[in-house]
Amino acid sequence: LNLTVNVGSSTAAFSLSCNGLQACSNITVNGGGLVSSDISCLQHNGCAYGTFDWTKSQTVSINCQEACYGVTIHGEEVTNSFALHCGFNGCSQLEVYCPSKPAAECNITMLDSEHIADIHIPTITANLNLHCDLESAGWSGACGQVDIVCTDTGEHSNLWTTFLGSGPERWYCENPHCCPSALLGLVIECGDVEHCVVDCSTTDCKDNAINATASQSLTVSCIYGSNCERTTIFCPTSPGSACEVQCGSNFGTASSSCKNVVIEAVNVDRLNVQCTGNNACQLMNVYCPTHAQ
């Protein structure tokens, strides 16, 4: 089946249900100026290899349950809300483009099995709300094969999890250059100051992010316990800037204090990372300055 559907009106609501063996496979849907659009693809590759293109539509909802293999979804011009729900094997080899409008939301839920998908976002500040089931597909989880692609820079990032006890704890980005803000946890903002000091013994840094890109210098202190585990640190970026991260101490009180920390320091002039104590900087990922010390 090779079907092309063109729909469009400033007031129209469009719905499509594809339920059955390749019921709408290779379908192309061009939706322009719609108020709302509701697509349901259920079972047996009902929408396999289809293409959905929404031009200046307001609200789009797509439900894929074992049915969207190889589908491409263009939601760049959705103006209000885009929602994609992926159930059992629903979104393998999927390519989806989130809205580029700053106020538009991109809500993606992946459950029940591991999904192989590329999610394109306009910038890392895009309103991407990504919910991935941590329990499905064993250790890898529902988003173990998901790749985030930033269309403004061309960079991309795989998703990965950290583990607590016998199971995964939370999703993270492999590459902080292309990581949706929603995956960074709480962001501690330094702002435009001469020197930003973050003491992680009194500030909740674990599993969160520190943003000092607008500051002249940054000092992060992680000398007690595991206060900085899985913290993402964005160093200053202005000329003459400096960034210092202190991990561990000589008193044995900070085992694995900076474990799984990511330091984004490509544009800082001076970077100093101190690792003292047991496993203080274990599994740390540092993006070093490209032009300085």
Side-chain angles (χ1 to χ4, degrees):
L1 176 66
N2 289 282
L3 176 66
T4 299
V5 180
N6 298 306
V7 288
S9 169
S10 61
T11 58
F14 173 72
S15 64
L16 173 69
S17 179
C18 299
N19 186 2
L21 181 61
Q22 298 182 356
C24 301
S25 63
N26 293 293
I27 191 172
T28 299
V29 176
N30 299 309
L34 296 170
V35 172
S36 65
S37 180
D38 190 359
I39 307 297
S40 181
C41 299
L42 305 176
Q43 300 181 345
H44 308 301
N45 286 324
C47 295
Y49 301 107
T51 300
F52 298 89
D53 196 345
W54 311 105
T55 304
K56 296 181 180 178
S57 294
Q58 295 182 28
T59 302
V60 173
S61 176
I62 302 176
N63 182 20
C64 292
Q65 302 286 336
E66 198 180 351
C68 292
Y69 186 91
V71 164
T72 300
I73 303 171
H74 288 280
E76 298 99 314
E77 295 191 35
V78 171
T79 59
N80 187 10
S81 175
F82 172 86
L84 171 66
H85 183 95
C86 300
F88 180 71
N89 288 333
C91 294
S92 291
Q93 306 298 332
L94 183 84
E95 195 99 9
V96 57
Y97 294 81
C98 285
S100 59
K101 301 289 185 182
E105 293 184 351
C106 187
N107 303 301
I108 299 178
T109 300
M110 294 188 170
L111 305 173
D112 302 327
S113 60
E114 186 177 72
H115 301 274
I116 304 172
D118 288 342
I119 300 174
H120 297 256
I121 59 174
T123 66
I124 62 172
T125 57
N127 293 325
L128 172 62
N129 301 307
L130 179 62
H131 175 71
C132 299
D133 187 1
L134 284 167
E135 302 301 325
S136 61
W139 289 94
S140 57
C143 290
Q145 296 291 326
V146 167
D147 196 28
I148 304 293
V149 182
C150 291
T151 56
D152 59 336
T153 62
E155 298 214 37
H156 67 94
S157 179
N158 296 120
L159 297 184
W160 52 282
T161 58
T162 56
F163 295 88
L164 180 65
S166 60
E169 186 178 19
R170 175 183 158 177
W171 291 100
Y172 291 87
C173 295
E174 180 186 48
N175 177 9
H177 299 163
C178 183
C179 186
S181 299
L183 295 182
L184 292 174
L186 172 70
V187 179
I188 301 165
E189 295 284 355
C190 286
D192 184 6
V193 297
E194 182 69 23
H195 183 49
C196 178
V197 177
V198 180
D199 184 351
C200 294
S201 65
T202 58
T203 301
D204 186 12
C205 300
K206 188 174 182 178
D207 290 324
N208 293 321
I210 299 169
N211 182 16
T213 54
S215 305
Q216 186 62 31
S217 65
L218 169 68
T219 298
V220 179
S221 177
C222 303
I223 60 173
Y224 295 104
S226 56
N227 302 33
C228 293
E229 276 195 56
R230 299 180 296 277
T231 299
T232 301
I233 300 170
F234 294 92
C235 289
T237 59
S238 59
S241 57
C243 187
E244 180 174 323
V245 181
Q246 303 165 353
C247 299
S249 72
N250 293 319
F251 305 105
T253 59
S255 178
S256 303
S257 59
C258 290
K259 184 177 180 180
N260 280 309
V261 161
V262 176
I263 301 175
E264 164 53 72
V266 171
N267 294 309
V268 74
D269 275 355
R270 298 186 305 279
L271 173 66
N272 181 19
V273 180
Q274 302 172 15
C275 301
T276 308
N278 297 334
N279 302 316
C281 295
Q282 185 180 22
L283 301 176
M284 176 183 282
N285 192 353
V286 181
Y287 292 84
C288 290
T290 57
H291 59 280
Q293 304 172 22

